[in-house]
Amino acid sequence: MIVPIFFLFSLLFSSSHGAIQDFCVADYSAPQGPAGYSCKNPAKVTVDNFVYSGLGITGNTTNLIKAAVTTAFDNQFPGVNGLGISLARPDLAPGGVIPFHTHPGASEIIIVIEGSLCAAFVSSDNKVYLKSLKKGDTMIFPSGLLHFQLNAGKNNALFFVAFNSPNPGLQLVDYALFGNDLATELVAAASFLDPAEIKRLKAVLGGSG
Amino acid sequence: MIVPIFFLFSLLFSSSHGAIQDFCVADYSAPQGPAGYSCKNPAKVTVDNFVYSGLGITGNTTNLIKAAVTTAFDNQFPGVNGLGISLARPDLAPGGVIPFHTHPGASEIIIVIEGSLCAAFVSSDNKVYLKSLKKGDTMIFPSGLLHFQLNAGKNNALFFVAFNSPNPGLQLVDYALFGNDLATELVAAASFLDPAEIKRLKAVLGGSG
Amino acid sequence: MIVPIFFLFSLLFSSSHGAIQDFCVADYSAPQGPAGYSCKNPAKVTVDNFVYSGLGITGNTTNLIKAAVTTAFDNQFPGVNGLGISLARPDLAPGGVIPFHTHPGASEIIIVIEGSLCAAFVSSDNKVYLKSLKKGDTMIFPSGLLHFQLNAGKNNALFFVAFNSPNPGLQLVDYALFGNDLATELVAAASFLDPAEIKRLKAVLGGSG
Amino acid sequence: MIVPIFFLFSLLFSSSHGAIQDFCVADYSAPQGPAGYSCKNPAKVTVDNFVYSGLGITGNTTNLIKAAVTTAFDNQFPGVNGLGISLARPDLAPGGVIPFHTHPGASEIIIVIEGSLCAAFVSSDNKVYLKSLKKGDTMIFPSGLLHFQLNAGKNNALFFVAFNSPNPGLQLVDYALFGNDLATELVAAASFLDPAEIKRLKAVLGGSG
Amino acid sequence: MIVPIFFLFSLLFSSSHGAIQDFCVADYSAPQGPAGYSCKNPAKVTVDNFVYSGLGITGNTTNLIKAAVTTAFDNQFPGVNGLGISLARPDLAPGGVIPFHTHPGASEIIIVIEGSLCAAFVSSDNKVYLKSLKKGDTMIFPSGLLHFQLNAGKNNALFFVAFNSPNPGLQLVDYALFGNDLATELVAAASFLDPAEIKRLKAVLGGSG
Amino acid sequence: MIVPIFFLFSLLFSSSHGAIQDFCVADYSAPQGPAGYSCKNPAKVTVDNFVYSGLGITGNTTNLIKAAVTTAFDNQFPGVNGLGISLARPDLAPGGVIPFHTHPGASEIIIVIEGSLCAAFVSSDNKVYLKSLKKGDTMIFPSGLLHFQLNAGKNNALFFVAFNSPNPGLQLVDYALFGNDLATELVAAASFLDPAEIKRLKAVLGGSG
């Protein structure tokens, strides 16, 4: 005779408050804290909170950088909240580039899926780590360092990027310097760039001042 | 003459917002985040929030595994919230067992209080670390690895378990595989177990499919 | 006249000991600690330490699970040491499976590159989160929970996996239970599986006892 | 012709929920969690949330310890919330002292701005690390250890203190032992101090019992 | 026919350097770093590295505090190195006390096994959280705060303590103030204690100066 | 009669291996790991390892940026190793500037000691947080974001900077882009700057290519 023991489970766990928390799916309607979004009630969590299809769509590269970045960060993909990881998908047309940028506080690892890349990061003692990457190659970009990826090939390039943060951020040097209202003279003083060049790039990137 | 200097304290700390936070007693009525429950207003915290008596009660072992686990995790014991530690009390009748399980993301250390145990963990390169433990023995189970504890003696066994997380979780392999509605053919495909054996254990553990 | 200011750099940093450390490329010949391998002398680090080509090669799936996992963890790929991230490449022939397993202490995020998958994880309260994934889909597997991926399609499947650890580990339930010398009676006691079934799987997986 | 590409930014980031979170300015009206205060809506954050002027004011040292500590912790300075760092400004008149104290869970580093100090910490194996510090000297006090700073000079002393926590706490031994209602006999039993001495200090520090 | 698939394991993992690291058993002969001791070669690790019997022995309480603390920290118990947890065993004769102390940077949770305790911690805003504990009671002491435990009963008391650090430290206020060569006048200045009382306790605790 | 109890200490701690570790003073002659330098033998540690006088010396600002940064990081100041904090001292002559830079993975908090500053950081959604700071003002710069500090006053400016890392790094955008051998065409492609401007700055900053 088979005696069911499934009642054991309630013996093992007689929690008075709430469900077991193996995850913390983002509840965008509740307060956010330093560790991420508040958790959705586990009883309302479904598998769809852990699945995201946005990275399956080719980005639109008909822009000046001939590139697009589609992200699966915690503000789009609620399942990664609090789990210390996220993904993104850069598409680059020939000549496309993800210009010099940093991810504040997250390391990045990439895998090339289509085409080829010229990629580099610069260490804080000013050395350049530059490499041509082909399909199947992986490269690691240490946390917080300036880097870029460029499609020097004749075909589209596609790679995937993983970050060890659900919210790695992305700071593009060009936008930080030229895409806002920071006065040209201050940009010049803090970058040694020629004021005329700054004004030229402000016009291109929508900045003023 | 004695001059009181207790007014110094307000000089030292002239905080404009809220009390000093040495702890974060769980407020079960407010949102939960990746780092744990929201904090109860410190003005309403009492010593009873830091004391828990549930582990003083012998667990009921009259079940098929002849064992019970009583926990003092953050969802029962509000004082451990955010403090990175918790306790549990397994009781095992003779022949009782805490079957193969993991604690996702927490290490475990045990101390045997009564009786004896046969305990083991398996490393990810598949080696078995198996030991007979007697009263007073301590064993460490590295984070996330499969392990079990079994009372091979003739008397009841009692041990205490500490985890370096207030919410270590407990995933029992039997329940994960057989105690839910995951289809028998999928369980078979993902475990190489015989479908008949899977169905037998589903019946025992309350699973379906 | 242009006056070079590159001597500024040495003014800014007059470090007495060693180079600036933005990374810690693994030195496999020096001691390993809880945080990872010792760091290679930065003066000897080259860009090749940050690039890995092993994931570009299709795994050999002519085995019983019809699957292979190629990893870029810190013990193969020295550049990820200490940086909190790594990658792996599972290949699955039709019917192939990465059987029930956990990664002790790391979350996992996947992106499907070719073919389709049936993937699931089980939470510690025993619910199944099961989904069919097609090319371009992303799924997150919370840290430490049991999960599997199965190729239910007619074509090969390829996906990439990122972990928020350079050394996530991989514990396969089948190997932990049946692929070593843990005595059949102990496996039976700790899993409720039938001893005959255990012996059958021990034979398949190379275990004894 | 210059073609603006500032629309690129919205291509790069098509976040469905909320703004990018590089910081988490404290919202004192929302729940607090183990990782800190909830985040203010980024759209309402201004530069003034990241600037604090309270440390520019000389503390009032006309009290028995002839010292004052002004803090820029997360409960006064909302910008440091979640960022792992904070500052404080001790002022010491001649003979002034910051008595034996600890910061639970934060390391402290100081820089002397005016005057001189006699500073010491005691390690947990009971050794004293004592040093006379002059203007411009830096000293590190390892996390959680008892330490004090004393102005043994003839002029006022000023130093700044940084902590690797936005909420380092400050526990003064005198206040913990004598500045509350813990019964004299318990203080005596737990400190070996003479009951008469305990009662004397309770009177000085506003304690009772 | 049964075809062994145990060769799969080497297919799954073709690591070029060293073994898989689920743990880092302390190698006391190699350098120690901020994260703990170096790791023993995994090939030489045995189950005995994960088991410790020292806590099974009653401590010798024939001393002035009528108490003893036996520890299972990483410098005695190599298996806990790097795993974020440890245990200790205080024994208290009637009237015995673990005097005011802190653990720099670790939270503590206790479970009373025999006898009864009077236990308290003081928060950094100077409140006392005091409780009488009986067999089976659990109490949490937040990280870094001053606390004591006292046996006010007529029988021996035994409790176990878990820390969320393999190396929690233990700083006893009495020893820090009176058990070393810190000059009496400095102790007096930094504690407001009477110099005569300081000298009395220095004599008791082996201090000088 | 006074009975010494200092022998208690050895009863409390009967460690078999090495000393108690409250700190990990850098041993520059042993291997470095991801968590920092190896620890100096505690028996050889003195108070001088915890004190640093280098920040008391005014930096030499007779260079093109009219500024100097003196650091107390773990490679100069062994006592901060592993303790999660460090300090630096920027001096700025009138017109001096610490140009656009980031600290990979560390937050920064400053306090103005002399003179005045114009300081700003840019968030990753491209907003500028700009403020004039006077003596006594504190400003926080969130981890990893681009920022600069400029002396717009007529007198020298001095401020102190604390980081929540013993090794925060410092990456200057100018040096990363122009102070090395990265080919002008790649810099241009990855920054949209005019090649002539790039070559001009390469000449100034000692770069080539």
Side-chain angles (χ1 to χ4, degrees):
Chain A
M1 193 194 87
I2 292 169
V3 180
I5 61 162
F6 69 89
F7 63 85
L8 165 71
F9 204 78
S10 49
L11 286 178
L12 280 172
F13 290 106
S14 51
S15 153
S16 2
H17 297 282
I20 292 150
Q21 287 285 44
D22 300 312
F23 41 71
C24 176
V25 171
D27 176 353
Y28 299 123
S29 67
Q32 194 169 0
Y37 291 95
S38 290
C39 311
K40 193 173 172 179
N41 180 342
K44 297 185 178 173
V45 168
T46 71
V47 68
D48 291 329
N49 298 128
F50 300 105
V51 177
Y52 189 68
S53 296
L55 302 193
I57 301 162
T58 304
N60 182 348
T61 59
T62 56
N63 53 50
L64 274 203
I65 63 163
K66 300 177 185 168
V69 180
T70 311
T71 57
F73 293 172
D74 62 3
N75 50 355
Q76 294 102 31
F77 183 10
V80 296
N81 185 51
L83 293 181
I85 199 160
S86 62
L87 279 184
R89 171 203 174 110
D91 286 276
L92 291 88
V97 64
I98 312 297
F100 269 115
H101 64 284
T102 64
H103 305 284
S107 291
E108 163 181 340
I109 192 166
I110 69 170
I111 174 92
V112 182
I113 304 298
E114 290 175 21
S116 61
L117 292 178
C118 168
F121 69 86
V122 185
S123 61
S124 65
D125 59 351
N126 205 31
K127 289 183 191 156
V128 179
Y129 294 84
L130 172 71
K131 191 77 179 181
S132 292
L133 304 175
K134 63 180 191 307
K135 183 176 172 177
D137 283 351
T138 290
M139 185 167 174
I140 175 87
F141 299 84
S143 184
L145 298 181
L146 281 163
H147 59 288
F148 68 86
Q149 290 106 358
L150 189 147
N151 181 0
K154 296 184 176 176
N155 301 307
N156 289 337
L158 167 65
F159 59 107
F160 284 99
V161 187
F163 302 95
N164 64 336
S165 164
N167 185 13
L170 166 51
Q171 181 158 52
L172 291 147
V173 171
D174 274 329
Y175 282 100
L177 269 63
F178 312 120
N180 49 45
D181 59 358
L182 186 58
T184 295
E185 63 179 339
L186 284 176
V187 179
S191 73
F192 301 109
L193 290 168
D194 187 80
E197 178 70 358
I198 294 167
K199 284 180 188 296
R200 184 182 72 85
L201 283 163
K202 276 184 173 282
V204 173
L205 293 162
S208 60
Chain B
M1 193 194 86
I2 292 168
V3 180
I5 61 162
F6 68 91
F7 64 86
L8 166 71
F9 204 79
S10 49
L11 286 178
L12 279 172
F13 289 105
S14 51
S15 152
S16 4
H17 297 282
I20 292 151
Q21 287 284 46
D22 299 313
F23 41 71
C24 176
V25 171
D27 175 353
Y28 298 123
S29 67
Q32 194 169 359
Y37 291 95
S38 289
C39 311
K40 193 173 172 178
N41 180 343
K44 296 186 178 172
V45 168
T46 71
V47 68
D48 291 331
N49 298 127
F50 299 104
V51 177
Y52 189 69
S53 295
L55 301 192
I57 300 162
T58 304
N60 182 348
T61 59
T62 56
N63 53 50
L64 274 203
I65 63 163
K66 300 177 184 167
V69 179
T70 311
T71 57
F73 294 172
D74 61 4
N75 50 355
Q76 295 101 29
F77 183 11
V80 297
N81 185 51
L83 292 181
I85 199 161
S86 62
L87 279 183
R89 171 204 174 110
D91 286 276
L92 292 88
V97 65
I98 313 296
F100 269 114
H101 65 284
T102 63
H103 307 283
S107 291
E108 163 181 340
I109 193 167
I110 70 171
I111 174 92
V112 181
I113 304 297
E114 291 175 20
S116 61
L117 291 179
C118 168
F121 70 85
V122 185
S123 61
S124 65
D125 60 350
N126 205 32
K127 289 183 191 158
V128 179
Y129 294 83
L130 172 71
K131 191 79 179 181
S132 291
L133 303 176
K134 64 180 190 304
K135 182 176 172 177
D137 282 351
T138 290
M139 185 167 174
I140 174 88
F141 299 85
S143 184
L145 296 182
L146 280 163
H147 59 287
F148 69 85
Q149 290 107 356
L150 189 147
N151 180 1
K154 295 183 176 177
N155 301 307
N156 289 338
L158 168 64
F159 60 108
F160 284 99
V161 187
F163 301 95
N164 65 336
S165 164
N167 185 13
L170 165 51
Q171 180 158 54
L172 290 147
V173 172
D174 275 331
Y175 282 101
L177 269 62
F178 313 121
N180 49 45
D181 60 357
L182 187 59
T184 295
E185 63 180 339
L186 284 176
V187 179
S191 73
F192 301 109
L193 290 168
D194 187 80
E197 179 69 359
I198 294 168
K199 285 180 186 292
R200 184 183 72 85
L201 283 161
K202 277 184 171 282
V204 174
L205 292 162
S208 61
Chain C
M1 193 195 84
I2 292 168
V3 180
I5 60 164
F6 69 88
F7 63 86
L8 165 71
F9 203 78
S10 48
L11 286 178
L12 280 170
F13 290 105
S14 50
S15 152
S16 4
H17 298 282
I20 291 149
Q21 286 286 43
D22 301 312
F23 41 72
C24 177
V25 171
D27 176 353
Y28 298 123
S29 68
Q32 193 169 358
Y37 291 95
S38 290
C39 311
K40 194 174 171 177
N41 180 343
K44 297 186 178 171
V45 169
T46 71
V47 68
D48 291 330
N49 298 128
F50 300 105
V51 177
Y52 189 68
S53 295
L55 302 192
I57 300 163
T58 304
N60 181 350
T61 60
T62 57
N63 52 51
L64 274 202
I65 63 163
K66 300 177 184 168
V69 179
T70 311
T71 57
F73 294 173
D74 61 3
N75 49 357
Q76 294 101 29
F77 184 9
V80 298
N81 184 49
L83 293 181
I85 200 159
S86 62
L87 279 184
R89 170 202 176 112
D91 286 276
L92 292 87
V97 64
I98 312 297
F100 269 114
H101 65 284
T102 63
H103 306 284
S107 291
E108 163 181 339
I109 193 166
I110 69 170
I111 174 91
V112 182
I113 304 297
E114 289 175 21
S116 61
L117 291 178
C118 167
F121 70 86
V122 185
S123 61
S124 65
D125 59 350
N126 205 31
K127 289 183 191 159
V128 179
Y129 294 84
L130 173 70
K131 191 79 180 180
S132 291
L133 303 175
K134 64 180 188 309
K135 183 178 172 176
D137 283 350
T138 290
M139 186 166 173
I140 175 88
F141 299 85
S143 183
L145 297 181
L146 280 163
H147 59 288
F148 68 85
Q149 290 106 357
L150 189 147
N151 180 1
K154 295 182 177 176
N155 301 308
N156 289 337
L158 168 65
F159 60 108
F160 284 100
V161 187
F163 301 95
N164 64 337
S165 165
N167 185 12
L170 165 51
Q171 182 159 53
L172 291 148
V173 172
D174 274 331
Y175 282 99
L177 268 64
F178 312 121
N180 49 45
D181 60 356
L182 186 59
T184 294
E185 63 178 338
L186 285 176
V187 179
S191 73
F192 301 111
L193 290 168
D194 188 81
E197 178 69 358
I198 294 167
K199 285 179 185 295
R200 183 182 71 86
L201 283 162
K202 276 182 172 284
V204 174
L205 293 162
S208 61
Chain D
M1 194 194 85
I2 291 169
V3 180
I5 62 162
F6 69 89
F7 63 86
L8 166 72
F9 204 79
S10 48
L11 286 178
L12 279 172
F13 290 106
S14 51
S15 152
S16 2
H17 298 282
I20 292 151
Q21 287 284 44
D22 300 312
F23 41 71
C24 177
V25 171
D27 176 353
Y28 298 123
S29 67
Q32 194 170 359
Y37 290 96
S38 289
C39 310
K40 193 173 171 179
N41 181 342
K44 297 187 177 170
V45 168
T46 71
V47 69
D48 292 329
N49 298 128
F50 299 106
V51 177
Y52 189 68
S53 295
L55 301 192
I57 301 164
T58 304
N60 181 348
T61 59
T62 56
N63 53 50
L64 273 204
I65 63 163
K66 300 178 184 168
V69 179
T70 311
T71 57
F73 293 172
D74 62 3
N75 49 358
Q76 294 102 30
F77 184 11
V80 297
N81 185 49
L83 293 181
I85 199 160
S86 61
L87 279 184
R89 170 203 174 111
D91 286 276
L92 291 88
V97 64
I98 312 297
F100 269 113
H101 65 284
T102 63
H103 306 283
S107 291
E108 163 181 339
I109 193 167
I110 69 171
I111 174 91
V112 182
I113 304 297
E114 290 175 20
S116 61
L117 291 178
C118 168
F121 70 86
V122 185
S123 61
S124 65
D125 59 351
N126 205 31
K127 289 183 190 159
V128 179
Y129 295 83
L130 172 71
K131 191 80 180 179
S132 291
L133 303 176
K134 64 180 190 306
K135 183 176 171 177
D137 283 350
T138 291
M139 186 167 173
I140 174 88
F141 299 85
S143 184
L145 297 181
L146 280 163
H147 59 288
F148 69 85
Q149 290 107 357
L150 189 147
N151 180 0
K154 296 183 176 176
N155 301 308
N156 289 337
L158 167 64
F159 60 107
F160 284 100
V161 187
F163 301 97
N164 65 336
S165 165
N167 185 13
L170 165 51
Q171 181 158 53
L172 291 147
V173 171
D174 275 330
Y175 282 100
L177 269 63
F178 312 121
N180 49 44
D181 59 357
L182 186 59
T184 294
E185 63 179 338
L186 284 176
V187 179
S191 72
F192 300 110
L193 289 167
D194 187 80
E197 178 70 357
I198 294 167
K199 285 180 186 293
R200 183 181 72 85
L201 282 162
K202 277 183 171 282
V204 173
L205 292 162
S208 60
Chain E
M1 193 195 86
I2 292 168
V3 180
I5 61 164
F6 69 89
F7 63 86
L8 165 71
F9 203 79
S10 48
L11 285 178
L12 280 172
F13 291 105
S14 51
S15 152
S16 2
H17 297 282
I20 291 151
Q21 286 286 44
D22 300 313
F23 40 71
C24 177
V25 171
D27 176 353
Y28 299 124
S29 67
Q32 193 169 359
Y37 292 95
S38 290
C39 311
K40 193 173 172 179
N41 180 343
K44 297 186 177 172
V45 168
T46 72
V47 68
D48 291 329
N49 298 128
F50 300 104
V51 176
Y52 190 69
S53 296
L55 302 193
I57 301 162
T58 305
N60 182 349
T61 60
T62 55
N63 53 49
L64 275 203
I65 62 163
K66 300 177 183 167
V69 179
T70 311
T71 57
F73 294 173
D74 61 3
N75 50 357
Q76 295 101 30
F77 184 10
V80 298
N81 184 50
L83 292 181
I85 199 160
S86 62
L87 279 183
R89 170 202 175 113
D91 286 276
L92 292 86
V97 64
I98 311 297
F100 269 113
H101 65 284
T102 63
H103 306 284
S107 291
E108 163 181 339
I109 193 166
I110 69 171
I111 174 93
V112 182
I113 304 298
E114 289 175 21
S116 61
L117 291 178
C118 168
F121 70 86
V122 185
S123 61
S124 65
D125 60 351
N126 205 30
K127 289 183 191 158
V128 179
Y129 294 83
L130 173 70
K131 191 77 179 181
S132 291
L133 303 175
K134 63 180 190 308
K135 183 177 172 178
D137 283 351
T138 290
M139 186 165 174
I140 174 89
F141 299 84
S143 183
L145 297 181
L146 280 163
H147 59 287
F148 68 86
Q149 290 108 354
L150 189 148
N151 181 1
K154 296 183 176 176
N155 301 308
N156 289 337
L158 168 63
F159 61 106
F160 284 99
V161 187
F163 302 95
N164 64 335
S165 165
N167 185 12
L170 165 52
Q171 181 159 53
L172 291 147
V173 172
D174 274 330
Y175 282 99
L177 269 63
F178 312 121
N180 49 45
D181 59 357
L182 187 59
T184 294
E185 62 178 340
L186 284 176
V187 179
S191 73
F192 301 110
L193 289 168
D194 187 80
E197 178 70 358
I198 294 167
K199 285 178 185 295
R200 184 182 71 84
L201 284 162
K202 276 184 171 283
V204 174
L205 293 162
S208 60
Chain F
M1 194 195 86
I2 291 169
V3 179
I5 62 164
F6 69 90
F7 63 85
L8 165 71
F9 203 79
S10 49
L11 286 177
L12 280 172
F13 290 105
S14 51
S15 153
S16 1
H17 298 282
I20 291 150
Q21 286 285 43
D22 300 312
F23 41 73
C24 176
V25 171
D27 176 353
Y28 299 123
S29 66
Q32 193 170 0
Y37 291 95
S38 290
C39 311
K40 193 174 171 177
N41 181 343
K44 297 185 177 173
V45 169
T46 72
V47 67
D48 291 329
N49 297 129
F50 300 105
V51 177
Y52 189 68
S53 296
L55 301 192
I57 301 163
T58 304
N60 181 349
T61 59
T62 56
N63 52 49
L64 274 203
I65 63 163
K66 300 177 185 167
V69 179
T70 312
T71 57
F73 294 173
D74 61 3
N75 49 357
Q76 296 100 30
F77 184 11
V80 298
N81 184 50
L83 292 181
I85 199 159
S86 62
L87 279 183
R89 169 203 176 111
D91 286 276
L92 292 87
V97 64
I98 311 297
F100 269 114
H101 65 284
T102 63
H103 306 284
S107 291
E108 163 181 339
I109 193 166
I110 69 170
I111 174 93
V112 182
I113 303 298
E114 290 174 20
S116 61
L117 291 179
C118 168
F121 69 86
V122 185
S123 60
S124 65
D125 59 350
N126 206 29
K127 289 183 190 157
V128 179
Y129 295 83
L130 173 71
K131 191 78 179 179
S132 291
L133 304 175
K134 63 180 191 306
K135 183 178 171 177
D137 283 350
T138 290
M139 186 166 174
I140 174 88
F141 299 85
S143 183
L145 297 181
L146 280 163
H147 58 288
F148 69 85
Q149 290 106 356
L150 189 147
N151 180 1
K154 296 182 178 177
N155 302 307
N156 288 338
L158 168 64
F159 60 108
F160 284 100
V161 188
F163 301 95
N164 65 335
S165 165
N167 185 11
L170 164 51
Q171 182 159 52
L172 291 147
V173 172
D174 274 330
Y175 283 99
L177 268 63
F178 312 120
N180 48 45
D181 59 357
L182 187 58
T184 294
E185 63 179 339
L186 284 176
V187 179
S191 73
F192 300 110
L193 290 168
D194 188 79
E197 177 70 359
I198 294 166
K199 285 179 187 295
R200 184 182 72 86
L201 283 161
K202 276 182 173 284
V204 174
L205 293 161
S208 61

